[in-house]
Amino acid sequence: MGRFLYPNAYFTSTYAIDFAKLYRAGFRGILFDIDNTLVPHDAMTDERSRTLLRQLREIGFSICFVSNNDEPRVANFVAELHVDGLPDPQYIFKAAKPRGQGYIDGIRKMDLHHSQVIFVGDQLLTDIWGANNAKLPSILVQPVAPETKLQIKLKRILEKPVIKMYLRKHPLREG
């Protein structure tokens, strides 16, 4: 039950992931969800997210955000990440997750091979299911803040038994 919702790894936070290890393993691109993966829902970048994303680009990663949000939300978030001398991240808005097409479009925007890309997100029913539909390795992270939107609170209730089953065989990683 629910195996199509299973990530390849589960971390306490996006900020606990060893991205240098992923780069050494051959990954060159990261597709990120934004809301509650990097910052609370509808929040703009903060120092922690800007620092992480700058470090990832300095390592050599291409970055593309794949979001179900509208373009102004995603474009404004990305605009705050501009760093002179580093390529600006790409983005896909209204990605229709869990459909896989937004992920495929993100890979194309980064001009990478499918095997070089990994996805990071906080929701099973959109982010991880979509990554699995696109046949991408994925990392599930715990949300950065409590949910404020009712529809997401309801999804979290549905996710709990799947996460419980996943954790029986796969440990939650703290970094």
Side-chain angles (χ1 to χ4, degrees):
M1 176 189 140
R3 295 197 192 286
F4 64 96
L5 298 174
Y6 282 5
N8 293 87
Y10 184 26
F11 282 82
T12 55
S13 167
T14 299
Y15 302 96
I17 299 169
D18 184 347
F19 288 102
K21 183 177 179 181
L22 291 174
Y23 194 85
R24 288 190 304 273
F27 291 103
R28 296 297 179 262
I30 305 169
L31 298 174
F32 276 108
D33 175 54
I34 297 172
D35 289 321
N36 247 349
T37 297
L38 292 164
V39 295
H41 271 282
D42 299 323
M44 296 311 287
T45 63
D46 57 17
E47 188 58 36
R48 186 165 73 156
S49 63
R50 285 190 301 273
T51 298
L52 173 66
L53 294 162
R54 184 182 64 249
Q55 289 171 345
L56 294 176
R57 289 182 290 164
E58 287 171 352
I59 289 171
F61 278 110
S62 293
I63 296 169
C64 183
F65 298 100
V66 178
S67 176
N68 282 347
N69 263 306
D70 58 14
E71 187 171 23
R73 160 61 177 143
V74 181
N76 289 335
F77 183 88
V78 171
E80 291 191 0
L81 298 171
H82 177 77
V83 176
D84 287 339
L86 294 175
D88 286 341
Q90 301 288 321
Y91 64 88
I92 304 294
F93 65 95
K94 292 193 177 187
K97 295 182 283 184
R99 292 181 50 206
Q101 190 59 50
Y103 300 79
I104 303 303
D105 293 343
I107 293 167
R108 285 189 188 125
K109 279 193 173 203
M110 292 188 295
D111 195 27
L112 292 171
H113 188 272
H114 201 92
S115 65
Q116 296 176 294
V117 178
I118 192 162
F119 176 80
V120 179
D122 70 296
Q123 290 187 58
L124 287 178
L125 295 175
T126 53
D127 297 330
I128 302 306
W129 188 1
N132 288 339
N133 283 337
K135 299 187 180 7
L136 278 175
S138 62
I139 297 174
L140 177 67
V141 294
Q142 291 182 336
V144 297
E147 296 300 339
T148 57
K149 299 184 178 199
L150 179 61
Q151 76 269 19
I152 298 173
K153 285 181 181 183
L154 295 173
K155 281 194 247 181
R156 295 282 188 214
I157 292 168
L158 296 172
E159 290 176 352
K160 277 185 181 183
V162 178
I163 289 173
K164 227 179 206 180
M165 289 175 61
Y166 175 83
L167 287 173
R168 284 187 191 142
K169 293 185 178 180
H170 306 88
L172 177 63
R173 300 177 188 178
E174 296 189 32

